[in-house]
Amino acid sequence: MNLEKLFWSRTKTDILKYLVFRRQGISVRAFETELTRSFPAIKKQIDQLEEAWVIRVTKDNNRRSIFMVDGIDDYIKSIFMYTLKFDLSEYFWWMPKDVDKYFLGKVFGNDFDMDLVIVHQASGKEKIPQMKQDISTIFEKYLILTVNVVFMSADEFQKRNRLADKFVLSLLASGKPQPEVE
């Protein structure tokens, strides 16, 4: 999904991602540093988002702080989470022989401590370092810099499932596996 087309601007999209995934109460100058965009470009998008009632700008003394309007952040976050899931599913679609299934974790609201658990074929083990880098790049597009990913072979997953391993059972209970990659 192309969020820049949805929000009509890459800068606007990055501002919203920052407010959803990093922090709120940031100034336009801080955005300039964090997003490496020009002040006029950021100011223009901030003004448009304020006119659309998506954000509010509070003025304390000589400092302006930017916050999302209460309640809208959940809706915008759900759009970003949908596109993050889409990007991950598209990535795993290109690796059908290496990845059996994957579980979305705490970043996606599921109740286990990892962000992503990948069950892979033993033959795909040599691709794990590249997959780690690719997955980090996908999450970084959403300004999520730290990702906890677990790689587990399909044999190990089945063995741990048969032994009623607590981690695997928690995966199956709360982190429903994504459709198996075909």
Side-chain angles (χ1 to χ4, degrees), residues 33-72:
T33 304
E34 293 283 331
L35 301 178
T36 63
R37 303 273 197 302
S38 70
F39 181 85
I42 292 171
K43 179 71 170 113
K44 177 182 177 185
Q45 298 307 323
I46 294 292
D47 291 344
Q48 288 180 359
L49 287 167
E50 189 176 25
E51 287 175 23
W53 294 27
V54 173
I55 63 167
R56 61 185 165 79
V57 179
T58 61
K59 299 166 186 155
D60 300 331
N61 298 331
N62 290 333
R63 186 180 191 311
R64 295 175 182 211
S65 300
I66 300 162
F67 297 90
M68 295 194 81
V69 171
D70 293 336
I72 199 164

Side-chain angles (χ1 to χ4, degrees), residues 18-169:
Y18 194 93
L19 292 171
V20 168
F21 292 114
R22 287 276 188 87
R23 67 183 174 103
Q24 296 190 34
I26 187 170
S27 68
V28 177
R29 290 285 180 201
F31 268 130
E32 183 180 21
T33 304
E34 293 283 331
L35 301 178
T36 63
R37 303 273 197 302
S38 70
F39 181 85
I42 292 171
K43 179 71 170 113
K44 177 182 177 185
Q45 298 307 323
I46 294 292
D47 291 344
Q48 288 180 359
L49 287 167
E50 189 176 25
E51 287 175 23
W53 294 27
V54 173
I55 63 167
R56 61 185 165 79
V57 179
T58 61
K59 299 166 186 155
D60 300 331
N61 298 331
N62 290 333
R63 186 180 191 311
R64 295 175 182 211
S65 300
I66 300 162
F67 297 90
M68 295 194 81
V69 171
D70 293 336
I72 199 164
D73 53 342
D74 291 334
Y75 294 108
I76 291 177
K77 183 175 184 176
S78 68
I79 291 170
F80 289 139
M81 296 311 290
Y82 172 81
T83 58
L84 177 56
K85 288 177 190 177
F86 179 84
D87 290 349
L88 287 170
S89 69
E90 184 177 44
Y91 174 74
F92 290 125
W93 184 81
W94 289 103
M95 308 196 127
K97 295 178 181 115
D98 301 320
V99 176
D100 278 351
K101 57 187 151 217
Y102 59 97
F103 296 84
L104 303 174
K106 69 180 176 184
V107 167
F108 301 94
N110 292 319
D111 194 26
F112 57 92
D113 288 337
M114 297 299 135
D115 296 321
L116 187 62
V117 177
I118 299 168
V119 179
H120 64 86
Q121 290 296 322
S123 62
K125 190 173 184 177
E126 69 278 352
K127 294 182 181 177
I128 289 177
Q130 183 62 45
M131 287 173 49
K132 285 180 182 178
Q133 185 177 13
D134 295 343
I135 290 166
S136 290
T137 302
I138 291 170
F139 276 88
E140 285 171 3
K141 283 182 11 186
Y142 295 87
L143 304 177
I144 302 171
L145 302 179
T146 304
V147 170
N148 295 318
V149 181
V150 171
F151 288 88
M152 186 182 302
S153 71
D155 294 337
E156 180 184 357
F157 182 82
Q158 290 171 352
K159 178 182 168 187
R160 289 173 74 169
N161 189 17
R162 281 192 307 271
L163 296 172
D165 179 72
K166 186 177 178 180
F167 179 70
V168 171
L169 292 179

